Amino acid sequence: MLRERAAKPAAIRLAVGGLLIAAGILLPQVFHLAGGRAMGEVFLPMHLPVLLAGFCLGPLFGGAVGILTPLASCLVTGMAMPAPAILPFMVVEIAVYGAAAGLFYSRFRIPALPALLLAQLAGRGLKSLVLLLAGQVFGLPVPAALTVFTSLAVGLPGLIIQWAAVPLILLALKKAKFID
């Protein structure tokens, strides 16, 4: 009986994680169809399902969804988006979003909006570090700080949408008793 109880939540998390990965693949495609690659860079549609995975499924599943979503997107869409050159940096950033959102919200019980902001800072911070290291190792011409600042400025509409949508979605999921 205990084994069934333990397996069921994991199976549900796995199913929900799979649905969020699918959303993380499909949602950016809708944005790209509507306005090209720039729409994805502005509205950050892949980030939303990964953040929700962290908030709803915890840090382990959130991080896994963050790793698998951009990788699966590359495979499913024929390596079109995210571009293979930025894929490793995007995987790091988005995996940290999912894991950190779950960690701050589920483990540390930080309210949704501050947890979201901390997860975004953690993801961008680690991405900056990885870009800096890659710049040193591979001699990349663009400084990491400028790259991250530029992506923040371009993606500000997407960040604002996340700041509004994530707490509202979590509230709706709580009221519907889908999450605690």
Side-chain angles (χ1 to χ4, degrees), residues 56-69:
C56 296
L57 304 175
L60 180 63
F61 278 88
V65 169
I67 291 169
L68 294 172
T69 300

Side-chain angles (χ1 to χ4, degrees), residues 74-160:
C74 273
L75 293 173
V76 170
T77 63
M79 303 299 278
M81 195 55 210
I86 65 164
L87 181 62
F89 307 109
M90 191 171 185
V91 168
V92 167
E93 177 185 24
I94 294 180
V96 172
Y97 286 162
L103 188 68
F104 293 130
Y105 188 69
S106 301
R107 295 285 197 303
F108 297 144
R109 303 287 184 210
I110 295 174
L113 186 56
L116 174 61
L117 293 170
L118 289 170
Q120 290 170 330
L121 287 172
R124 292 291 169 126
L126 191 56
K127 179 183 178 182
S128 298
L129 181 61
V130 170
L131 280 168
L132 181 64
L133 292 173
Q136 295 296 316
V137 171
F138 299 112
L140 294 175
V142 179
L146 180 60
T147 302
V148 173
F149 178 75
T150 302
S151 69
L152 279 172
V154 170
L156 188 59
L159 293 172
I160 292 169

Side-chain angles (χ1 to χ4, degrees), residues 3 10 18 27 47 55 69-70 72 128 141 152 172 180:
R3 188 172 276 167
L27 195 57
H47 297 193
F55 280 104
T69 300
S128 298
L152 279 172
D180 293 329

